[in-house]
Structures are given as structure tokens and as C-alpha cells.
Amino acid sequence: MQLMAGGHLSAARSIKEYIENNYNDVEINLVDCVKYVNKTLDKITTTAYNEMAKKAPRLWGSIYSNSAKGILGNISNSSNKLMSRKLDNLLQDYNPDLIISTHPFGSQMCTILKKKGRTNAKIATVMTDYAPHDQWLVNSDLVDYFFVAHDGMKQDLTKKGILKDKIFATGIPLSNRFLTSYPKKEILEELGLVQNKRTILFFAGR
């Protein structure tokens, strides 16, 4: 079972794609945990993130940095405890052997249920950030595996008390589409570009 939310969906899909292409004896279920628990909350949080990231990035950065501390941390922990009650229904119906979470709230809800004895599944947290935010580490003693973007994050987690044997620096999951090779000459000709000049590609978003 894979749990994710919002922009963490692409990482979860990439993991699902890899498992399906390489393992024949595995049944996998992809679940957007926040949407499953509360569709209204999912819509509100997604809209709030999109608007703040565009219009007030510094404010969003401050909220994100402090979301595991003080009042914000207490609100987050309390809401995850409440949301875990509905997620419990899913775990009881599906009874997974392994839970792979690409979102900190998914990991938190599952560790809450594991602490209550509601699941014996192994829990793997795949951090889709380039730095270890504390939201990912709530109830870390109940997480069996951490997959991180680089060795620096592995070192940071060990300093925070996470056992080294539980941490794997594998990078952030990407779709197999990024491994596909394309004929450069044909693409340049199609776009009206020439080979003997440096080509710069810009990515942008709203």
C-alpha cells in the first residue's frame, strides 16, 4: 500500500510503476491519504499551498519551517490523530504487509495506528524533500525504513537519533520516462535549433 498527498503523488506513482514492472507477486494500492480521510480538507490545504507559494512565499516558508513546533505542531499532531481514525478503516480492510508513505502526514497517521496495535505492517517513509523537516520524523521509532534524497540527509537523520541501518540514500523517486533516450539531432531540427550552439531550457509555473 502506498500513501501520499498533493504534490507527493508523482513520487508515489513512480514507486508504483517500478514495483509493477519488477515484481509479479505483489498487490499494490495507491491512496491519497488526505483526500481519503477528508476531501474538503484536501481541497482547502491544496488551494492554500498553491496560493501562498505564489503570492506569499516567505510566509509559506515560515509556516513550513515552524509547522512541527509550538501551536502549529500541536494542531498538526492533534489533527493527524483525528484523521487516523478514518484511515484505520482502510488499513483494516486492506491489511497491508508494507506501507510506503511519500507524505509526512501519511507516515504520522500510520505510526499512530501502529502504536495502538491497529496494524503490524512495516512502514517505509520516502522523504520527498532535500532536507529532513521534523514533520517527517514524528513517531520515527515506529517507522521501519527511511528513504532520503542524499547522503547529507542520512547524516542529519542519524544526528537526530534515527538508527543508521534504517536510512537509505536512494534519491527522490522519478518516473522511468526520465531514463528514456531521445535523438538530439531530430529534436533540435524539429524545434528550429542548431547543434553548434548551447541550448538552454527554461521551466516555469504559475
Side-chain angles (χ1 to χ4, degrees):
M1 174 182 287
Q2 286 183 280
L3 297 179
M4 77 299 168
H8 305 263
L9 176 60
S10 59
R13 284 175 172 162
S14 297
I15 297 171
K16 180 176 183 288
E17 178 185 26
Y18 181 86
I19 294 174
E20 289 176 337
N21 290 338
N22 292 275
Y23 297 91
N24 297 321
D25 58 345
V26 176
E27 180 183 357
I28 185 166
N29 188 16
L30 191 66
V31 180
D32 188 326
C33 59
V34 178
K35 184 178 290 186
Y36 175 85
V37 170
N38 191 311
K39 292 182 179 179
T40 301
L41 176 64
D42 174 67
K43 186 174 182 179
I44 291 173
T45 54
T46 300
T47 301
Y49 165 74
N50 289 336
E51 290 302 310
M52 291 184 70
K54 287 188 294 184
K55 299 177 181 178
R58 289 187 179 180
L59 177 59
W60 167 248
S62 177
I63 292 173
Y64 179 77
S65 298
N66 295 288
S67 61
K69 307 171 187 176
I71 295 176
L72 288 176
N74 291 334
I75 293 173
S76 176
N77 292 337
S78 297
S79 62
N80 282 321
K81 287 179 181 178
L82 289 173
M83 291 191 295
S84 70
R85 296 177 184 176
K86 185 169 182 182
L87 191 66
D88 182 40
N89 297 328
L90 177 69
L91 296 191
Q92 300 314 308
D93 290 341
Y94 197 69
N95 190 27
D97 297 299
L98 172 66
I99 299 169
I100 303 173
S101 174
T102 60
H103 193 281
F105 289 175
S107 296
Q108 289 180 36
M109 286 187 276
C110 289
T111 55
I112 289 168
L113 295 173
K114 191 171 186 176
K115 190 173 184 178
K116 292 180 178 180
R118 299 298 293 169
T119 179
N120 293 317
K122 296 284 187 180
I123 299 175
T125 292
V126 180
M127 294 188 176
T128 50
D129 288 328
Y130 287 99
H133 191 282
D134 285 345
Q135 282 284 12
W136 289 103
L137 305 179
V138 176
N139 297 328
S140 59
D141 57 313
L142 296 171
V143 176
D144 298 279
Y145 314 104
F146 287 93
F147 295 89
V148 298
H150 52 81
D151 284 325
M153 285 181 68
K154 184 173 183 177
Q155 295 172 12
D156 289 339
L157 291 189
T158 56
K159 291 177 182 178
K160 291 177 179 289
I162 309 297
L163 294 176
K164 188 176 181 180
D165 292 343
K166 293 170 58 172
I167 312 167
F168 303 87
T170 55
I172 294 177
L174 293 174
S175 170
N176 285 336
R177 289 176 295 175
F178 288 94
L179 302 177
T180 303
S181 296
Y182 297 93
K184 182 177 180 179
K185 183 179 179 181
E186 293 179 14
I187 293 174
L188 290 174
E189 290 177 352
E190 182 180 341
L191 296 174
L193 302 171
V194 294
Q195 291 194 63
N196 60 353
K197 289 186 178 180
R198 190 181 299 274
T199 302
I200 301 174
L201 175 64
F202 286 92
F203 285 98
R206 295 191 298 170

